[in-house]
């Protein structure tokens, strides 16, 4: 909606035209604005028409005075006079205050200097002037620039100035700074958008109603919850028409209350536009106008269907609970614990009981009465337990006897009731006296059976048929097997159990005797298996299973006897192992004796000497075997092997020195090392360091390297004996030294003959020395 000011232009009282100033904004002109435009109309009249020279000068002077007065007093407006070329001829004080330039700075400068760069680029100033020429005026509302570069929002009008002949002689530009109004409008729009977004995001159905109850608007959230696709379809509808006939009266009463200036509220069901029935909590409040009169109504409907359903479910649950409460066989009561001055429990009284209470407890007429008055001598532990539950807040389940109630046993579940500070406890209980007596009788019977079974040195297992579920067994079975349930095919078997045949195959559940008797109907089934106990140890057992039949001959269970045959099986295994080992060692020993004899006698020139050498070597071999058989038969200590091989050559005087860590080596390496050291010791006694009293032999073995790749080095070093001369030929002894141990451990040997004594070093991976371990 636009606003404008129209002022007549007169000369000598005769109307010769009008001056019209128009704004695109409603209410843009105040009364002062109208007066300013009227004064300016007189200035325009004086400037456009010629009069007599004297009169013209007088009028021009008067007009000029009025012009300047009006021109500079309109400080809220920027009034700019321009020529047809768009250059400024003059502007008022208001233009200086709004735009920042003085008239002197702007005269004859293009007026588009206060237009924004983008508007200058688009020629907006020229378009406004052309619009004024074509249509008499050009209206704009846009951003402009001040001298300091800041921007302000202005609305203005460009008007063409014409002479008596109607020819354009210039332009009048009027601007007004509307930045504050624009920002206020923007804030109002933002506030309205925010309020609208808040209303639209609400899950409530928010409506504005007329005083007649017809719907005028609804938020977006309300349209969603009411399942409305097109609001136009319900606009103007009577809001009370949405409610069922039974609730329409409440809706009308709430509407009337809001129209009267009060608040109307009710809860009821209504269907959405798509027929979904929902429960609504509704509130109607008045919307007042500026005078305080009720102009509209605000209706807020909240979907409470979920809570309504919860309430209905709770009500149904309470009904079911009450039915259960009245019909359950267990006794139930709510009690209140009474404390003394020191906060110790004194007594408790009954606040509520169910119909089964009397039958389960044997007490009658207990409501409001204290327990000590009903059962004198009632045990203290009852009062202490209920006090602990009331204080601690944790429920408890227990069994106790009540001697004061006829030695009755009760199974009890009790929990706090009534909230903090109430010191109330809810108690659900059953009389289990009969069960306790049966259990006592069974325990006595079972104790008698256990005493009989405990004397049997065989594990006994009882299983049901046809399920195979283990139902009992004696203590001896647990001592043998490591746990009481041993039948992996049974319902109570342990999946961690491992049982194997003699060849190492796992025993399948269907192979166990109990399972076979049940499945195959056998009268007897037996099996020898090796069980792995929970602690990792193993034991051989013999399982023999037979059926247990009722009077009709049907199998009702299985009894299995589990015997410990571990000692017998281990002895048989050891016997077989020793036989195999003996056979293997005899073959190896005969082969070695044959090799030693063959190499000793080959090329011998003196049979007696050869016999003596052969005897020494065989004795050394025998000692090495004695050393092995005296230990684990497959390994021996390094120092024991070396000392045994040196033998009589060490007279105990300290001329043979031994040094090295404790190292176990395999049987094959031990035999080869013993023969090699024996050869070195024999040669040292005949030709080397041990042939004189001053000579010494140092035998040193060392370990080097990381754990995974350690090496073992054995060093024989002679000193102080007769000067050494390398042999002219290599006999069997030398070859035995150089090749015997190296071949056994896949290592390297260094045999040298420096003048001061023989040196022999053997080096190989430690794992090669220990292969037999």
């Amino acid at each position: 909606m636009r606003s404008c000011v129209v002022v007549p232009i007169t000369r000598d009282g005769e109307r010769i035209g009008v001056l019209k100033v128009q704004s695109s904004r409603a209410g843009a002109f105040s009364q002062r604005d109208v007066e300013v435009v009227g004064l300016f109309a007189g200035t325009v009249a004086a400037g456009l028409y010629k009069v007599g020279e004297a009169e013209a000068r007088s009028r021009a002077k008067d007009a000029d005075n009025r012009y300047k007065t009006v021109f500079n007093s309109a400080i809220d407006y920027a009034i700019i006079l321009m020529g047809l070329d768009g250059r400024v001829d003059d502007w008022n004080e208001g233009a200086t205050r709004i735009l920042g330039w003085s008239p002197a700075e702007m005269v004859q400068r293009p007026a588009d200097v206060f237009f924004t760069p983008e508007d200058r680029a688009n020629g907006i100033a020229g378009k406004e002037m052309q619009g004024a020429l074509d249509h008499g005026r050009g209206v704009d509302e846009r951003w402009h620039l001040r001298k300091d570069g800041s921007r302000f929002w202005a609305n203005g009008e460009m008007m063409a100035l014409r002479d008596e002949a109607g020819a354009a002689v210039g332009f009048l530009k009027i601007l007004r700074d509307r930045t504050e109004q624009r920002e206020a409008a923007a804030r109002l729009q933002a506030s309205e958008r925010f309020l609208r977004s808040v209303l639209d995001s609400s899950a409530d159905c928010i409506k504005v109603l007329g005083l007649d109850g017809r719907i005028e608007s609804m938020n977006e959230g309300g349209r969603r919850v009411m399942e409305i696709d097109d609001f136009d379809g319900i606009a103007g509808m009577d809001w009370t028409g949405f409610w069922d006939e039974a609730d329409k009266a409440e809706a009308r009463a709430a509407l009337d209350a809001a129209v009267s200036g009060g608040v109307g509220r009710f809860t009821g069901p209504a269907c959405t536009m798509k027929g979904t029935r929902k429960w609504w909590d509704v509130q109607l409040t008045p919307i007042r106008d500026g005078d305080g009169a009720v102009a509209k109504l605000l209706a807020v409907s909240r979907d409470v269907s979920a809570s309504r359903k919860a309430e209905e479910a709770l009500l149904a649950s309470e009904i079911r609970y009450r039915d259960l409460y009245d019909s359950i066989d267990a006794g139930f009561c709510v009690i209140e614990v009474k404390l003394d001055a020191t906060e110790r429990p004194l007594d408790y009284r009954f606040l509520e009981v169910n119909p089964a209470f009397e039958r389960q407890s044997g007490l009658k007429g207990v409501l409001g009465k204290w327990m000590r008055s009903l059962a004198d001598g009632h045990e203290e532990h009852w009062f202490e337990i209920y006090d602990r539950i009331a204080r601690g807040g944790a429920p408890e389940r227990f069994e106790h006897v009540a001697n004061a109630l006829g030695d009755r046993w009760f199974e009890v579940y009790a929990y706090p009731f009534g909230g903090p500070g109430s010191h109330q406890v809810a108690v659900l209980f059953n009389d289990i006296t009969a069960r306790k007596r049966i259990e006592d009788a069974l325990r006595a019977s079972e104790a008698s059976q256990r005493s009989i079974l405990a004397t049997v040195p065989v594990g006994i297992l009882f299983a049901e048929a046809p399920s195979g579920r283990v139902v009992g067994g004696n203590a001896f079975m647990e001592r043998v097997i490591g746990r009481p349930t041993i039948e992996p095919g049974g319902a109570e078997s342990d999946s961690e159990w491992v049982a194997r045949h003699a060849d190492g195959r796992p025993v399948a559940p269907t192979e166990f005797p109990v399972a076979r008797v049940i499945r195959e109907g056998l009268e007897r089934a037996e099996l020898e298996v090796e069980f792995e106990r929970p602690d990792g140890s193993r034991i051989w057992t013999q399982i023999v299973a037979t059926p247990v039949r009722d009077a009709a001959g049907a199998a009702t269970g299985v009894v299995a006897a589990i015997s410990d045959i571990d000692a017998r099986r281990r002895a048989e295994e050891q016997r077989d192992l020793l036989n195999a080992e003996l056979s293997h060692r005899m073959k190896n020993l005969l082969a070695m004796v044959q090799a030693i004899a063959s190499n000793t006698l080959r090329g011998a020139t003196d049979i007696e000497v050869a016999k003596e050498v052969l005897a020494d070597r065989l004795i050394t071999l025998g000692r090495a075997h004695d050393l092995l058989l005296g230990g684990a038969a497959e390994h021996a200590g390094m120092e024991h092997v070396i000392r045994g091989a040196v033998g009589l050559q060490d007279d105990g005087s300290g001329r043979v020195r031994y040094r090295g860590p404790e190292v176990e080596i395999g049987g094959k390496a031990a035999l080869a090392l013993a023969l090699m050291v024996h050869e070195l010791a024999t040669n040292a006694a005949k030709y080397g360091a041990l042939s004189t009293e001053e000579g010494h032999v140092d035998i040193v073995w060392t370990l080097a390297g990381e754990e995974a790749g350690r090496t073992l080095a054995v060093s024989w070093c002679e000193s102080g004996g007769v000067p050494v001369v390398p042999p002219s030929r290599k006999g069997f002894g030398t070859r035995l030294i150089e090749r015997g141990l190296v071949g056994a451990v896949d290592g390297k040997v260094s045999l040298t003959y420096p003048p001061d004594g023989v040196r022999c070093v053997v080096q190989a991976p430690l794992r090669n020395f220990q292969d037999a371990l």
Side-chain angles (χ1 to χ4, degrees):
M1 186 174 181
R2 299 176 181 273
S3 60
C4 67
V5 177
V6 179
V7 178
I9 301 174
T10 60
R11 187 181 62 168
D12 298 331
E14 179 182 356
R15 181 171 176 169
I16 61 175
V18 295
L19 176 62
K20 181 179 179 182
V21 180
Q22 184 169 329
S23 173
S24 61
R25 297 177 59 84
F29 297 103
S30 64
Q31 182 60 37
R32 174 174 170 77
D33 296 336
V34 174
E35 294 173 357
V36 170
V37 173
L39 291 172
F40 198 71
T43 303
V44 172
L48 294 179
Y49 291 90
K50 295 180 179 180
V51 294
E53 184 176 348
E55 183 182 357
R57 282 196 302 269
S58 175
R59 290 186 178 185
K61 183 176 180 181
D62 292 341
D64 185 57
N65 290 334
R66 288 196 304 273
Y67 164 77
K68 289 182 178 179
T69 300
V70 172
F71 198 59
N72 290 315
S73 65
I75 59 176
D76 292 334
Y77 293 87
I79 304 175
I80 302 110
L81 289 175
M82 299 178 292
L84 289 176
D85 58 358
R87 294 180 179 275
V88 175
D89 290 334
D90 196 4
W91 73 14
N92 71 336
E93 181 64 24
T96 299
R97 294 184 62 173
I98 293 173
L99 294 169
W101 288 281
S102 67
E105 290 176 307
M106 282 302 298
V107 169
Q108 292 306 307
R109 290 185 65 183
D112 65 358
V113 70
F114 51 81
F115 281 75
T116 63
E118 53 269 27
D119 285 351
R120 287 200 298 271
N122 293 325
I124 297 299
K127 291 178 181 179
E128 283 190 2
M129 290 187 291
Q130 188 61 47
L133 292 174
D134 295 341
H135 308 291
R137 61 184 179 82
V139 179
D140 75 333
E141 192 164 354
R142 65 180 68 253
W143 291 104
H144 288 279
L145 287 179
R146 293 187 175 93
K147 180 180 179 180
D148 61 6
S150 62
R151 296 190 177 207
F152 68 98
W153 183 263
N155 64 4
E157 187 166 357
M158 177 81 76
M159 294 173 288
L161 300 178
R162 299 182 182 274
D163 60 13
E164 293 178 346
V169 295
F171 298 97
L172 175 68
K173 173 78 172 178
I174 301 176
L175 287 176
R176 190 173 187 183
D177 184 354
R178 307 296 292 177
T179 305
E180 290 185 5
Q181 291 81 354
R182 177 182 172 85
E183 290 176 350
R187 288 193 297 272
L188 178 60
Q189 290 175 357
S191 177
E192 290 174 349
R193 285 195 301 271
F194 175 73
L195 179 60
R196 173 59 61 184
S197 67
V198 170
L199 293 176
D200 289 344
S201 63
S202 173
D204 295 337
C205 180
I206 304 174
K207 303 165 288 296
V208 175
L209 310 179
L211 297 182
D212 57 357
R214 298 191 176 276
I215 300 173
E216 295 185 1
S217 65
M218 182 182 295
N219 68 327
E220 188 63 33
R223 298 179 193 181
R224 288 193 300 271
V225 75
M226 277 294 292
E227 299 181 314
I228 297 172
D229 296 329
D230 182 11
F231 176 72
D232 292 339
I234 66 165
M237 290 181 61
D238 181 6
W239 171 73
T240 61
F242 282 88
W243 303 96
D244 295 344
E245 288 300 325
D247 300 293
K248 218 171 245 188
E250 284 194 77
R252 174 53 63 183
L255 185 70
D256 293 342
V259 170
S260 301
V263 176
R265 187 163 191 171
F266 71 99
T267 301
C271 291
T272 67
M273 292 302 293
K274 294 184 178 179
T276 305
R277 188 174 179 80
K278 297 183 177 182
W279 275 84
W280 306 90
D281 180 52
V282 184
Q283 179 173 292
L284 281 83
T285 54
I287 301 174
R288 301 181 184 275
D289 59 16
D291 298 327
V294 177
K296 305 284 183 183
L297 301 179
L298 180 66
V300 180
S301 303
R302 175 163 293 176
D303 181 2
V304 294
S305 303
S307 60
R308 181 75 180 190
K309 289 179 181 177
E311 290 173 1
E312 292 173 351
L314 179 60
L315 178 61
S317 175
E318 289 176 351
I319 294 173
R320 288 194 300 272
Y321 166 76
R322 178 54 60 180
D323 291 342
L324 177 65
Y325 178 78
D326 292 338
S327 62
I328 59 173
D329 188 57
F332 178 82
C333 63
V334 176
I335 62 173
E336 180 183 30
V337 181
K338 179 181 179 181
L339 306 177
D340 63 13
T342 62
E343 297 292 311
R344 293 282 302 166
L346 279 178
D347 206 345
Y348 61 82
R349 65 175 175 175
F350 296 93
L351 304 180
E352 183 180 353
V353 297
N354 74 332
F357 177 88
E358 180 179 330
R359 175 169 45 81
Q360 290 285 353
S361 67
L363 297 173
K364 298 180 180 180
V366 300
L367 282 178
K369 295 183 179 179
W370 295 96
M371 186 62 187
R372 292 194 187 275
S373 67
L374 295 169
D376 187 28
H378 194 45
E379 290 84 357
E380 289 298 323
H381 57 248
W382 293 97
F383 302 98
E384 292 170 356
I385 291 172
Y386 292 144
D387 176 54
R388 181 173 65 245
I389 294 171
R391 291 174 185 270
E396 293 187 25
R397 190 184 301 274
F398 58 91
E399 294 179 359
H400 267 306
V401 65
N403 295 323
L405 299 181
D407 296 330
R408 293 191 182 199
W409 275 89
F410 294 99
E411 179 184 46
V412 181
Y413 176 73
Y415 55 93
F417 190 83
S422 67
H423 228 67
Q424 296 178 10
V425 179
V427 183
L428 186 69
F429 65 95
N430 278 295
D431 181 356
I432 59 170
T433 306
R435 192 194 80 193
K436 281 290 185 179
R437 288 171 181 167
I438 294 173
E439 289 176 354
D440 290 342
L442 286 174
R443 278 194 292 271
S445 175
E446 290 173 358
S448 176
Q449 293 177 19
R450 283 196 298 271
S451 65
I452 295 172
L453 291 175
T455 62
V456 180
V458 175
I460 302 297
L461 174 77
F462 300 101
E464 290 181 342
S467 66
R469 187 172 67 91
V470 175
V471 295
N474 68 345
F476 190 79
M477 181 182 68
E478 185 171 359
R479 290 201 300 271
V480 173
I481 305 304
R483 60 179 69 185
T485 303
I486 65 102
E487 181 63 20
E492 295 184 8
S493 63
D494 194 323
S495 61
E496 296 180 357
W497 279 46
V498 178
R500 301 185 185 279
H501 292 285
D503 59 3
R505 290 181 297 108
V507 179
T510 56
E511 294 183 275
F512 280 85
V514 171
R516 293 191 61 200
V517 167
I518 294 173
R519 189 183 69 258
E520 302 176 25
L522 301 177
E523 289 299 319
R524 176 186 173 90
E526 62 180 270
L527 181 66
E528 292 186 3
V529 297
E530 185 183 36
F531 273 109
E532 183 174 327
R533 289 169 162 166
D535 62 3
S537 62
R538 297 186 178 187
I539 183 171
W540 274 96
T541 62
Q542 182 186 49
I543 307 173
V544 179
T546 57
V548 177
R549 302 185 183 278
D550 59 16
T556 59
V558 179
V559 60
I562 300 94
S563 303
D564 180 359
I565 61 169
D566 194 67
R568 173 172 65 81
R569 289 300 297 249
R570 301 299 179 198
E572 291 173 356
E573 290 175 359
Q574 186 67 18
R575 179 196 63 199
D576 294 342
L577 178 63
L578 289 175
N579 288 339
E581 177 67 17
L582 181 60
S583 175
H584 172 72
R585 287 190 175 276
M586 286 299 295
K587 291 177 182 178
N588 287 346
L589 182 59
L590 291 174
M592 188 171 289
V593 170
Q594 182 182 12
I596 292 173
S598 175
N599 283 280
T600 300
L601 297 176
R602 182 184 301 126
T605 58
D606 188 331
I607 193 63
E608 293 300 325
V609 174
K611 286 168 59 179
E612 182 181 347
V613 172
L614 177 59
D616 286 344
R617 288 172 176 170
L618 292 178
I619 290 171
T620 300
L621 181 62
R623 287 176 179 168
H625 267 282
D626 290 342
L627 185 63
L628 290 172
L629 293 174
E634 283 295 345
H635 58 88
M638 173 72 77
E639 185 170 350
H640 294 299
V641 172
I642 293 174
R643 285 184 179 273
V646 173
L648 296 176
Q649 310 304 337
D650 184 358
D651 57 7
S653 63
R655 292 197 301 147
V656 180
R657 296 184 285 254
Y658 309 88
R659 188 172 70 257
E662 292 186 7
V663 180
E664 292 285 316
I665 60 176
K668 182 179 178 181
L671 292 174
L673 178 62
L675 292 173
M676 183 192 82
V677 172
H678 172 71
E679 290 298 324
L680 288 169
T682 300
N683 290 342
K686 289 181 177 181
Y687 318 112
L690 298 182
S691 64
T692 66
E693 293 183 359
E694 294 79 12
H696 292 85
V697 176
D698 289 287
I699 307 173
V700 180
W701 57 98
T702 58
L703 292 171
E706 298 297 328
E707 187 67 28
R710 303 181 80 181
T711 60
L712 175 62
V714 183
S715 170
W716 174 282
C717 183
E718 298 181 20
S719 61
V722 298
V724 174
V725 178
S728 58
R729 69 179 184 88
K730 291 184 179 181
F732 172 65
T734 303
R735 293 198 302 273
L736 180 61
I737 294 171
E738 291 180 339
R739 303 176 187 174
L741 181 58
V742 173
V745 298
D746 188 21
K748 297 184 295 183
V749 65
S750 172
L751 181 60
T752 59
Y753 302 92
D756 58 336
V758 174
R759 304 284 189 274
C760 181
V761 179
V762 178
Q763 186 175 3
L766 176 61
R767 63 177 178 272
N768 293 358
F769 278 94
Q770 297 180 332
D771 269 348
L773 290 180

